Amino acid sequence: MTRNKTIPDDQVLDTIFETVLETGPSNLTFARASKACGLSPATLVQRYGTRDALLVATLLRAWDRLDAETHAADQEEALDPNGAIEILLRLMPPETADRDSTNGLLVLHEDICNPQLRARGAAWGHHLAAILGRRLSDHPEEGKKLGWQMASIWQGAHIWWAFTREQPADQSIRATLEEWVARNI
């Protein structure tokens, strides 16, 4: 007879993801994950097998959460260019801007190198471009193109903010997106 899980997988993986963001993916160990989530290293090995499998499970859970956040933003924001800007700012809130532009890039490395994670990222990117595109054009093909461009501008604005930090992240990124919309929509 199997025992009930005292801490559900989603809760374990969410906690471990925060640890990965703090320490970087390469520093994830069963001992560090155990300390973060409250389960023994042996229990984590039983659940996930290897350290790499634990990391992939953690990052897939993070993609699940981003999918849910993206869906909620899509449902709640206006179907106009300002709604597109609001979606992007919701997905990268100012309180996590610093972390997202530093350790978040270490996570992105894992996402790009692992085929399963890369596929999740690509699927999310296509979905995000479509969500943005519906707010930028009434023509689906034009909207898709504009959605990809806007997502690229958003990511680039975040990276350049990390270097310059001339104003708060949300103000800087919003200004860049509003300027792009004014020139392209």
Side-chain angles (χ1 to χ4, degrees):
M1 182 170 146
T2 60
R3 291 181 4 186
N4 289 337
K5 291 182 177 179
T6 57
I7 304 173
D9 282 336
D10 287 351
Q11 184 179 341
V12 168
L13 297 173
D14 290 348
T15 303
I16 293 171
F17 183 66
E18 292 305 315
T19 299
V20 167
L21 286 174
E22 289 172 20
T23 65
S26 63
N27 292 318
L28 181 65
T29 62
F30 280 113
R32 185 168 273 141
S34 170
K35 185 177 180 184
C37 73
L39 294 176
S40 72
T43 299
L44 291 172
V45 170
Q46 280 182 325
R47 284 195 191 187
Y48 303 104
T50 66
R51 178 226 170 263
D52 288 343
L54 174 61
L55 180 60
V56 169
T58 299
L59 297 180
L60 286 172
R61 169 66 183 148
W63 280 112
D64 290 344
R65 288 176 52 197
L66 184 58
D67 286 341
E69 291 169 17
T70 304
H71 177 75
D74 183 30
Q75 297 301 307
E76 296 166 12
E77 296 299 338
L79 288 171
D80 60 23
N82 190 54
I85 291 170
E86 293 305 320
I87 287 170
L88 294 174
L89 291 175
R90 280 177 64 166
L91 295 177
M92 196 173 288
E95 59 270 12
T96 64
D98 188 54
R99 180 194 72 189
D100 292 343
S101 63
T102 55
N103 289 355
L105 291 176
L106 298 174
V107 172
L108 184 61
H109 174 267
E110 297 296 324
D111 287 333
I112 291 170
C113 289
N114 178 293
Q116 186 178 13
L117 297 169
R118 186 172 55 245
R120 282 298 296 274
W124 177 77
H126 284 285
H127 183 64
L128 180 64
I131 286 170
L132 298 173
R134 285 196 315 271
R135 288 165 169 82
L136 302 172
S137 176
D138 292 331
H139 305 281
E141 284 305 308
E142 180 69 10
K144 182 178 178 180
K145 179 179 131 189
L146 291 170
W148 276 112
Q149 288 176 4
M150 186 177 208
S152 298
I153 294 295
W154 169 59
Q155 289 291 301
H158 193 264
I159 290 169
W160 287 115
W161 166 82
F163 282 106
T164 63
R165 299 180 190 233
E166 294 167 351
Q167 57 187 356
D170 56 333
Q171 291 175 20
S172 177
I173 295 167
R174 179 184 296 279
T176 299
L177 292 171
E178 287 174 347
E179 182 180 328
W180 180 84
V181 164
R183 291 181 182 196
N184 293 284
I185 307 302

